[in-house]
Amino acid sequence: MQSKADGTVGKALAVLELVAGFERPVRFSELQGSSDYPKATLYRLLQTLTKQRMLSYDPDSGTYTLGVRLVCLAHAAWKTSSLAPIARPYMDKLSEKTGETVHLAQLDHAQVIYVDKRNASQPLPMYSEAGKVGPAYCTGVGKAMMAYLPEDQLTDVLVQQSWHRFTDGTLTNEAALRAELVAIRERGHAYDREEHEPGIICVAVPIRNDSGRVLGALSITSSTLRSSLDKLDSFVPLIRDTTNQIARETQNWRFPETKSIA
Amino acid sequence: MQSKADGTVGKALAVLELVAGFERPVRFSELQGSSDYPKATLYRLLQTLTKQRMLSYDPDSGTYTLGVRLVCLAHAAWKTSSLAPIARPYMDKLSEKTGETVHLAQLDHAQVIYVDKRNASQPLPMYSEAGKVGPAYCTGVGKAMMAYLPEDQLTDVLVQQSWHRFTDGTLTNEAALRAELVAIRERGHAYDREEHEPGIICVAVPIRNDSGRVLGALSITSSTLRSSLDKLDSFVPLIRDTTNQIARETQNWRFPETKSIA
DNA sequence: CATTTTAGTTTCATATAGTGGAACCGCATT
DNA sequence: AATGCGGTTCCACTATATGAAACTAAAATG
């Protein structure tokens, strides 16, 4: 059931993911049912993870859930590995100025991961959104990032796309997407023309560092009811300005201190 | 440097924690410096974690950071393992009614983990707070939860406290705290009388399920400038009401569906 | 009440995966 | 050309994980 996972660590993480997949407290037997691991192996893996507090076990109901240590680690991950803490004030400003929903995403493996979100109208349930994943080939942020990927990485990402047709506008093959990527590079930003969800449109601009590497992307999302691509287009200079500022700031960030070695 | 970590998984997690500790991109040699693991072992561990996307490696700078997979997993963790998603609407209401800062915390190991936070006045940087840890013995939520722990778990938690004197009010030994816990059980809620930070006070109420097990705690925090313990006291019925509602809702939550087995 | 089933836990000989000292590589510095 | 340093690879050795099967407790069944 789970993908190739060499090493004990890989297996343990697969189990973690398995538990995560249930999105609720889960029994041993349920896990066994959706795993190829033999009973004893799965059991020990669960024990190990529990002892390590990556899982927590509720003796009352005999169920496992993801442990708090994970939340702590993620806290640290979010603070250091993602653009989110740097981008935060800029996103605030952007959402304030535009009055639209702002997303910050990063590319991981072949998926888009939303690491932060801002909604001008109401203070959003943010944590519940951060960490969410989406397809790369049919989202504004995904395409914006892919457009500036080096060829070897791009091919890697492309083969992993599902090309599922979410809407009539969805680009469902590599050729179509590649053409789109060229257009994106020409104009410097990407659109989502209701490709993922009907009625939902967005403009996205990649965040790239000095050496051109893609760090993430910012997008402004709206609906066809409230807005239009033309209207969103007017935000582009503002977004690009913001991505540039964020990119600039990441340069300094890399080594805030060069720990003095005694 | 790292604590006892049996098993490969334990070691890998220790390395993860090590990277997390730096709170910034970190070089191999730096990690080697703060780890007992021999070079090759550490190296392989890092490779494994990187391949598993728990770490990400930046070839430009030759540094490791925590990977986004952690953020994804945490997304799931937050949704299932913690009280946060259930408590969310109640916290909103509570912060709205009181106009004060509301914290939701859980007890893990011997530490308090803040899993959500609400601030009535301004929309808070929430993610940056969730996952934060604090000492149990000198926080309102910590004491509220400890007060209702079964004796064996309590002793376990108590021996792990640091008893550092943060302020004049800090309870710096087990005897003093145990006396306080009795008082908390009597009145049903805990205070933080500037025990952790000067000028910061709070009332906290534990969240307990039907069988009496402590699930977490809610607190309302304020400062001596804006408020007083007496003033906070008036919120107690409201908080207790909220904790009861949250506790009730967790009962249903445990098994939303019993996955039909074909 | 005895019996079967189900769910979870332990055992143990075996195989695998992890270990780490040492050698190696590439690059910057001298 | 030589030295030093950060990082990577090798490989004999062994600690660790493995998983079939046996076991236990508790629930379901007759």
Side-chain angles (χ1 to χ4, degrees), chain B residues 160-224:
Chain B
Q160 291 181 69
Q161 301 303 311
S162 70
W163 306 111
H164 174 74
R165 181 183 293 280
F166 287 99
T167 71
D168 292 346
T170 309
L171 302 173
T172 53
N173 62 74
E174 184 172 329
L177 184 61
R178 279 200 180 262
E180 168 87 337
L181 295 184
V182 171
I184 292 169
R185 274 192 295 273
E186 269 164 16
R187 78 172 94 87
H189 57 272
Y191 296 111
D192 174 352
R193 306 181 179 85
E194 310 184 50
E195 293 162 39
H196 185 35
E197 239 179 294
I200 302 297
I201 53 176
C202 93
V203 254
V205 178
I207 302 171
R208 306 198 300 148
N209 69 5
D210 283 352
S211 46
R213 253 166 45 93
V214 174
L215 306 175
L218 267 186
S219 74
I220 290 190
T221 305
S222 194
S223 75
T224 47

Side-chain angles (χ1 to χ4, degrees), chain A residues 4-14 16-17 19-27 30 45 48-49 51-54 56-61 63 65-82 88 106-109 111 113-115 123-133 209 211 213 253-259, chain B residues 4-14 16-17 20 22-27 30 45 48-49 51-54 56-61 63 65-82 88 106-111 113-116 123-133 209 211 213 253-259:
Chain A
K4 74 284 139 187
D6 45 6
T8 316
V9 176
K11 286 173 203 165
L13 290 173
L16 214 54
E17 211 92 54
V19 174
F22 277 82
E23 304 212 317
R24 64 180 172 82
V26 61
R27 278 220 159 73
E30 298 181 279
L45 243 20
T48 305
L49 288 167
K51 196 157 55 189
Q52 296 292 335
R53 296 182 307 128
M54 296 298 280
S56 79
Y57 178 71
D58 178 353
D60 290 3
S61 58
T63 56
T65 44
L66 295 179
V68 277
R69 188 180 181 185
L70 205 52
V71 177
C72 294
L73 276 170
H75 175 57
W78 189 83
K79 284 210 311 193
T80 61
S81 99
S82 82
R88 173 173 289 281
Q106 293 185 254
L107 198 63
D108 177 61
H109 222 212
Q111 288 179 316
I113 295 176
Y114 296 96
V115 292
L124 255 252
M126 191 180 103
Y127 212 137
S128 65
E129 301 297 333
K132 216 171 187 173
V133 298
N209 68 8
S211 46
R213 253 165 45 92
W253 161 251
R254 311 229 128 239
F255 293 105
E257 65 187 278
T258 313
K259 208 158 225 177
Chain B
K4 74 283 138 187
D6 42 8
T8 316
V9 177
K11 286 173 205 167
L13 290 173
L16 216 53
E17 211 92 54
F22 277 84
E23 303 210 318
R24 64 180 172 82
V26 61
R27 278 223 158 75
E30 299 181 280
L45 244 18
T48 305
L49 287 167
K51 196 158 54 188
Q52 295 294 333
R53 296 183 305 128
M54 295 298 279
S56 80
Y57 179 71
D58 179 352
D60 292 2
S61 59
T63 55
T65 44
L66 295 180
V68 277
R69 187 178 182 186
L70 269 173
V71 178
C72 296
L73 277 169
H75 175 56
W78 188 84
K79 284 210 311 197
T80 63
S81 99
S82 82
R88 171 174 291 281
Q106 293 186 259
L107 198 64
D108 175 65
H109 224 210
Q111 288 182 315
I113 294 175
Y114 295 97
V115 291
D116 208 347
L124 255 251
M126 193 180 101
Y127 211 137
S128 65
E129 300 297 333
K132 216 173 187 176
V133 299
N209 69 5
S211 46
R213 253 166 45 93
W253 162 249
R254 309 231 128 238
F255 295 105
E257 67 187 278
T258 313
K259 207 158 226 176

